[in-house]
Amino acid sequence: MSWLDDFMVRAALAGLGVALAAAPLGCFVVWRRMAYFGDATAHAAILGVALALGFNLSVFAGVLVVALAMALIVSGLSGRGHATDTLLGVMAHSALAIGLVAVSLLEGVRIDLMGYLFGDILAVGRGDLAVIWGGAVLVLTLLWWRWSALLTATLGADLAYAAGIDPRREQVVLTVALALVIAVAIKVVGALLIGSLLIIPAAAARPFAATPERMAALAMGMGGLAALGGLALAYRYDTPTGPTIVCVAAALFAVSSLWGLVRHAQG
C-alpha cells in the first residue's frame, strides 16, 4: 500500500503545492495592486471548465487557456477607453456568468459545480497531484528566472526601461504565471477562492518582511500553514475545506496586522 493511497496525504500535498506556487506570485499581485486582476482571471476558469468538458479536453488545459486569454485581453484593453477597475469588474463578472451558463448547457455531462467554485481538495487524485506540482515547479522556476527583472518592472516602468528591461514583457511573464496558478489551484480552493490564496498570505507576510525575498519566503510559509491548518480544521469540524483554508489564512492576516499595529505604536 502506497502512502499516496491516503486521501488526506494527497490533500495535504495538493494544498502545499498550490500554496508554494501562489504565495510568491501573490507578492507581485500585492505590490502591483493587481488583486482585482487576479479575481477576473480566476473567474474565467469556470468558462475554461465548461469548454474542456464540452470538447472532451483536460480541465487543466481548458482552464489554463481561458485564464491566459482572459489575462491577456484585460492587459491589452486596460487604459483604452475605460478605467481599469471598471474593465476588470465587467470582465470578471461576465466571464463567471458566461461560464456558469455554459456549464448548465452541457448535455450528458455530470459536473460538481460547487467543487469547481469552492474547491474539492479531498477528491485530489495522483494525476491531479502531478498536475499541481508540475505547475508549481513551472511557476517557481519562471519567477526565479525573472525575479530581478520582475522586481525592477514592479518598481516603475521608467526604471525598467533604464535598466534595459521591457515592462510589458514582464507583465506577460506574470500573466502566464497567474494563469498556471489558477489552472492548478481550481481543484484545491475553487475559482471563487483562488484570489484569496494569492493575496492573503502575501499580505500577512508583509509586516514581517524587510526585503522582497523575505516577504516571498514568509508568504510561502504562511500559505503552507493555511493549507495544512485549514485541511486539519475542516477534517476535525466537518467544514468545507477550501473556505476553511481561506479562513485560516485570514486569521493569519489578522494576527499579522495586529502585530504590525503594535510594533508601529511602540516605534
Side-chain angles (χ1 to χ4, degrees):
M1 179 177 177
S2 170
W3 55 282
L4 285 177
D5 290 335
D6 189 330
F7 74 97
M8 286 297 290
V9 172
R10 294 196 302 269
L13 289 175
L16 282 175
V18 170
L20 293 179
L25 180 60
C27 291
F28 285 101
V29 172
V30 169
W31 293 330
R32 288 174 170 243
R33 300 180 181 179
M34 293 171 57
Y36 211 178
F37 181 87
D39 278 341
T41 308
H43 287 175
I46 295 298
L47 179 57
V49 171
L51 292 176
L53 294 176
F55 290 97
N56 197 27
L57 301 173
S58 163
V59 170
F60 171 79
V63 171
L64 177 61
V65 170
V66 172
L68 184 58
M70 177 70 168
L72 292 174
I73 289 171
V74 172
S75 296
L77 293 178
S78 295
R80 299 187 180 183
H82 295 285
T84 300
D85 59 343
T86 301
L87 177 64
L88 287 173
V90 171
M91 296 293 287
H93 296 100
S94 298
L96 180 60
I98 293 171
L100 292 174
V101 171
V103 166
S104 71
L105 294 176
L106 293 176
E107 296 183 2
V109 177
R110 297 185 62 183
I111 177 173
D112 179 13
L113 188 57
M114 294 298 289
Y116 286 112
L117 287 174
F118 298 104
D120 191 9
I121 190 174
L122 298 180
V124 168
R126 295 188 181 205
D128 297 317
L129 275 181
V131 169
I132 289 170
W133 277 93
V137 169
L138 283 175
V139 170
L140 292 175
T141 301
L142 188 61
L143 292 179
W144 174 80
W145 175 46
R146 304 301 304 170
W147 182 263
S148 178
L150 285 169
L151 280 179
T152 303
T154 298
L155 291 174
D158 291 339
L159 181 61
Y161 281 122
I165 297 169
D166 185 354
R168 292 170 297 182
R169 180 185 60 200
E170 304 312 315
Q171 177 66 33
V172 171
V173 170
L174 281 180
T175 297
V176 171
L178 184 61
L180 276 170
V181 166
I182 290 168
V184 301
I186 190 169
K187 186 77 173 182
V188 175
V189 290
L192 297 183
L193 301 177
I194 293 172
S196 302
L197 208 57
L198 276 168
I199 299 165
I200 298 178
R206 197 168 196 171
F208 300 99
T211 65
E213 292 77 13
R214 185 176 181 184
M215 180 172 165
L218 287 173
M220 293 171 74
M222 290 188 177
L225 181 60
L228 295 180
L231 181 62
L233 289 174
Y235 182 77
R236 173 69 176 82
Y237 296 105
D238 194 24
T239 56
T241 310
T244 305
I245 289 173
V246 176
C247 286
V248 173
L252 292 174
F253 174 74
V255 172
S256 168
S257 299
L258 182 61
W259 184 87
L261 289 173
V262 170
R263 187 180 65 170
H264 181 73
Q266 291 177 345

